[in-house]
């Protein structure tokens, strides 16, 4: 083994051992609220009942991801990372939601204003243990 490889090997081993203790983020960080029925009509698909995934994992986009309506139909991976009350987030739980609405014009008001995304009751409950107005999330478009 040449000298460069012998010098580099301890650093690589150290990095690999340390990296397993830290979560590497691949998404953006934002906030999420929840909203309740009625969900129709939506800004994306109007009265069309087939817009909702059978899992009921859907969301309304906040201003930051709305993209003048281009976000309609986009899918996002969402994970709760923190909240004002400890134990709120379901550890290591990630859900995939479909954007079906625009939060500021949604028929049902969100539990908190000006969040990145507003999740359906089912989606919000899938990543939280206790009811909260808003949570901090990691999210990534898929």
């Amino acid at each position: 083994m040449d000298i460069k490889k012998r010098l580099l090997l301890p650093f690589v081993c150290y990095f690999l051992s340390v990296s397993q203790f830290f979560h590497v983020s691949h998404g953006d960080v934002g906030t999420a609220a929840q909203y309740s029925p009625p969900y129709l009509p939506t800004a994306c698909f109007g009265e069309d009942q087939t817009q909702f995934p059978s899992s009921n994992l859907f969301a309304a986009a906040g201003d930051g991801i709305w993209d003048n309506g281009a976000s309609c139909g986009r899918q996002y991976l969402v994970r709760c990372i923190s909240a004002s009350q400890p134990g709120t987030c379901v550890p290591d739980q990630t859900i995939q939601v479909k954007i079906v609405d625009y939060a500021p014009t949604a028929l049902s008001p969100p539990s908190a204003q000006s969040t990145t995304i507003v999740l359906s009751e089912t989606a919000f409950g899938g990543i939280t243990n206790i009811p909260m107005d808003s949570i901090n999330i990691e999210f990534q478009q898929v």
Side-chain angles (χ1 to χ4, degrees), residues 53-110:
S54 59
S55 64
N56 285 321
L57 298 177
F58 59 88
D63 285 324
I65 63 171
W66 177 240
D67 196 15
N68 291 322
S71 65
C72 290
R74 286 183 185 160
Q75 304 269 331
Y76 285 90
L77 295 175
V78 180
R79 181 175 73 90
C80 179
I81 55 174
S82 67
S84 60
Q85 186 171 342
T88 298
C89 298
V90 175
D92 301 317
Q93 180 66 35
T94 300
I95 58 171
Q96 185 169 329
V97 296
K98 176 184 176 184
I99 300 297
V100 298
D101 209 349
Y102 179 43
T105 63
L107 186 60
S108 178

Side-chain angles (χ1 to χ4, degrees), residues 33-47 51-52 58-63 66 72 98-121:
Q34 67 176 321
Y35 69 137
S36 305
Y39 297 117
L40 291 174
T42 68
C44 294
F45 307 105
E47 296 282 349
Q51 67 185 297
F52 302 110
F58 59 88
D63 285 324
W66 177 240
C72 290
K98 176 184 176 184
I99 300 297
V100 298
D101 209 349
Y102 179 43
T105 63
L107 186 60
S108 178
S111 57
Q113 298 296 318
S114 301
T115 57
T116 307
I117 196 166
V118 179
L119 302 169
S120 66
E121 286 181 336

